[in-house]
Amino acid sequence: MINNWLADMRIWAVCLIAYCAACTSAVACVLPGTPASLIGILFEHVPTDIDAPVVIEATIYDATDNVSYAHDSTFSTITLMNARVDRVIKGSIDPKYLKILAYTSSCAHVGVGRGIVLGTLRDDPQRGIMLEAVQMADMRGWSKEFFAKHVAIHDDSKCFKNNFGARECRLPGIGPESTQP
């Protein structure tokens, strides 16, 4: 019998390298403390270094992960959020409630919360007007108070898996069906 342990080691090494190369970007998103793991769509203050056509202060009360979205003849996976527009800072938005989308292929932390959201309006034939959010908010720059507010909002939200297996989070008492102002 010929000893092929060296050939087997090479095969395992190549497989390990291929696996690590495929997962490096995904691992960078989930490892705590890495810069990519601390990016979101909610800003504490209006950033001066990012130019966007629409800037709003919003309360995101509903978020659904892994929604299929057709854009420019391609399908992407997004997180679709429903938000109450608390204040329009830049741009013209008529509705008090707005859908916000963020592509899930990035490392952005998205979901229920309250803060400044920047982006570009998109008119989707099925979902109506939506705000495509800029995913550059560095959560390391958040104040302790702003961070504590988001921890409280996250703790108040109710998260579950829907019938399609996608994760949904809802903030009770806010939204068009709610009687709260």
Side-chain angles (χ1 to χ4, degrees):
M1 178 174 176
I2 300 172
N3 191 353
N4 288 331
W5 71 270
L6 187 57
D8 291 341
M9 289 297 287
R10 287 184 190 140
I11 291 171
W12 278 106
V14 169
C15 290
L16 181 63
I17 290 169
Y19 176 78
C20 290
C23 296
T24 300
S25 62
V27 171
C29 293
V30 296
L31 289 177
T34 60
S37 69
L38 299 171
I39 300 296
I41 64 167
L42 293 174
F43 292 83
E44 184 174 7
H45 304 287
V46 178
T48 57
D49 58 338
I50 302 172
D51 187 32
V54 176
V55 180
I56 60 172
E57 184 175 358
T59 301
I60 300 171
Y61 61 88
D62 182 64
T64 304
D65 291 340
N66 301 322
V67 177
S68 181
Y69 175 64
H71 181 65
D72 297 335
S73 302
T74 61
F75 284 92
S76 300
T77 306
I78 62 169
T79 296
L80 188 62
M81 298 159 276
N82 293 315
R84 180 184 68 202
V85 178
D86 298 324
R87 179 173 59 123
V88 177
I89 299 169
K90 180 181 176 185
S92 59
I93 297 180
D94 293 334
K96 182 157 176 72
Y97 295 96
L98 181 69
K99 291 193 182 301
I100 298 175
L101 71 93
Y103 292 97
T104 54
S105 60
S106 69
C107 297
H109 286 276
V110 294
V112 295
R114 185 171 193 279
I116 307 294
V117 182
L118 291 76
T120 305
L121 289 178
R122 301 274 183 235
D123 190 6
D124 184 271
Q126 294 178 341
R127 295 185 176 103
I129 301 292
M130 297 189 300
L131 181 69
E132 183 179 332
V134 171
Q135 300 178 31
M136 296 178 66
D138 188 357
M139 296 184 325
R140 292 174 292 185
W142 285 2
S143 68
K144 289 181 182 179
E145 295 81 20
F146 193 69
F147 183 77
K149 185 188 330 180
H150 279 274
V151 169
I153 289 171
H154 184 266
D155 290 346
D156 289 343
S157 66
K158 307 291 183 219
C159 296
F160 59 93
K161 293 255 185 193
N162 66 15
N163 295 340
F164 302 107
R167 184 172 185 258
E168 287 189 31
C169 291
R170 295 202 174 119
L171 195 56
I174 299 176
E177 63 280 345
S178 165
T179 57
Q180 286 186 343

